[in-house]
Amino acid sequence: MVKGVIVLALLTLFSSCNSKEDAVQHELGLVYNVLRDADVDNFEVYSMNLDGSNKKNITDLHRVEWTYYSYKDTLYFISDRDSCKRCYFLYKSDFDGKHVQKVSDLELADSWMSSRNDGEELIVKPKLITKSTFYILDRNGNIVNRLDTGLLFAADPLFVNDGRQVVFRGGKTVGKNIDGFDEELYIMDSDGSNLKQLTHYPEEDTSAGKYGYRAGAPKLNPTENFVTYQSKQDGKYSLYATTLDGSKTWKLTENTQDEGWHDWSPDGKWLAIELFDDEQSQFHIGLMNWETKEMEILTDDTFKYQQAPNFIWKSRD
């Protein structure tokens, strides 16, 4: 009996230690993009804690580095280091900017990305003459599959429904500078079949004009399973949401500032949002408690452009 109590106590202690270790390992931070020096076109990736403390430049190369996606403890970013100006290749690191590795020799377009199968496969937009194509890469950067969307333009692919489908931003011309672009969110199966339009920008609204977002890069709420996106409607950028079957679309938030690129925490409790004024004179990163809708601004005015936040585990799994 005594031996059993001792074993149980040891197991409890071991479990408690593991739980504490897991909690530390899975503590969340944020990474985001900063225009550090406009004169030399220098963009960097910064990291910070969820309370806004310990802001740190984790790329620091005086080149162009942008991040749009992290998975668990891995930060993915595109960079023109070791290549021509704005010729982007995919790299990865951790929250502290350490363990930098080049993921692939495939040149990429400037686009958001996502993953499936516990991070084993990434979906990206390559830089091709054909602007309607996505590639699926394995963890080593090898091309697993090619997806043709059937549209003339496609970007910002997002795996949904456990990787069985892809939501993306699509247009009916190759770019916004051509009349008839008609940008919307679309969904298709991960083999490229069953294309369906999800969003429908209000016909009477002219707020987005020719170059504003009618439907920006999609993000998935991981617990309530709807997709969110930025859209300029009624003269203001706000966040909107749509169900995965397109049957319901609604305005997500009621912030007074304009809202742009954003990300959901893995547990769906937090929403990190890029916030800015109508003149786009100052961009901040805000953190919203999704349950209470309370918002905290995490950045200061040191830099004008602070954009595209995404969540990341602060230490390795």
Side-chain angles (χ1 to χ4, degrees), residues 29-247:
L30 281 168
V31 287
Y32 58 105
N33 301 327
V34 171
L35 175 56
R36 191 170 67 171
D37 190 340
D39 291 337
V40 294
D41 197 31
N42 173 216
F43 288 85
E44 304 284 0
V45 179
Y46 277 64
S47 65
M48 64 178 166
N49 298 327
L50 291 193
D51 63 0
S53 63
N54 197 28
K55 296 179 179 65
K56 179 183 177 183
N57 183 348
I58 61 173
T59 47
D60 200 19
L61 277 176
H62 301 279
R63 300 298 296 265
V64 176
E65 275 89 25
W66 283 318
T67 178
Y68 297 123
Y69 181 65
S70 300
Y71 181 72
K72 292 186 176 180
D73 58 10
T74 302
L75 162 71
Y76 291 96
F77 62 97
I78 58 173
S79 173
D80 64 0
R81 63 179 70 190
D82 303 321
S83 63
C84 59
K85 189 66 176 176
R86 297 213 171 199
C87 300
Y88 304 121
F89 293 86
L90 184 60
Y91 294 81
K92 64 181 180 180
S93 74
D94 60 17
F95 174 75
D96 294 313
K98 298 177 181 178
H99 309 289
V100 177
Q101 296 179 42
K102 189 176 185 180
V103 176
S104 171
D105 289 325
L106 175 69
E107 187 174 356
L108 297 184
D110 179 13
S111 171
W112 292 64
M113 63 192 72
S114 69
S115 69
R116 67 179 179 184
N117 299 336
D118 197 25
E120 289 295 324
E121 293 182 333
L122 286 165
I123 185 166
V124 300
K125 180 180 178 179
K127 187 176 181 180
L128 301 172
I129 295 176
T130 302
K131 296 183 180 294
S132 59
T133 300
F134 299 130
Y135 282 166
I136 297 177
L137 309 179
D138 65 19
R139 187 183 288 270
N140 297 317
N142 301 309
I143 299 172
V144 174
N145 198 5
R146 170 177 175 151
L147 301 183
D148 292 310
T149 64
L151 299 172
L152 290 176
F153 174 86
D156 306 322
L158 170 71
F159 279 126
V160 297
N161 287 330
D162 296 322
R164 297 189 300 273
Q165 291 182 297
V166 179
V167 175
F168 64 95
R169 184 169 62 91
K172 296 179 181 178
T173 69
V174 296
K176 288 177 178 283
N177 59 330
I178 301 174
D179 291 337
F181 185 68
D182 289 341
E183 170 186 71
E184 299 287 358
L185 293 187
Y186 291 80
I187 190 170
M188 65 181 179
D189 294 344
S190 58
D191 62 1
S193 63
N194 296 320
L195 179 71
K196 177 183 178 181
Q197 184 175 327
L198 286 181
T199 61
H200 299 270
Y201 192 80
E203 292 183 5
E204 69 281 2
D205 199 325
T206 60
S207 299
K210 194 167 188 177
Y211 296 104
Y213 280 118
R214 294 159 59 101
K219 300 296 289 187
L220 180 67
N221 180 294
T223 54
E224 299 178 54
N225 207 36
F226 56 78
V227 166
T228 53
Y229 60 99
Q230 63 169 300
S231 180
K232 191 170 186 180
Q233 299 182 28
D234 298 322
K236 176 183 177 294
Y237 273 114
S238 298
L239 296 188
Y240 291 81
T242 181
T243 54
L244 292 178
D245 61 3
S247 62

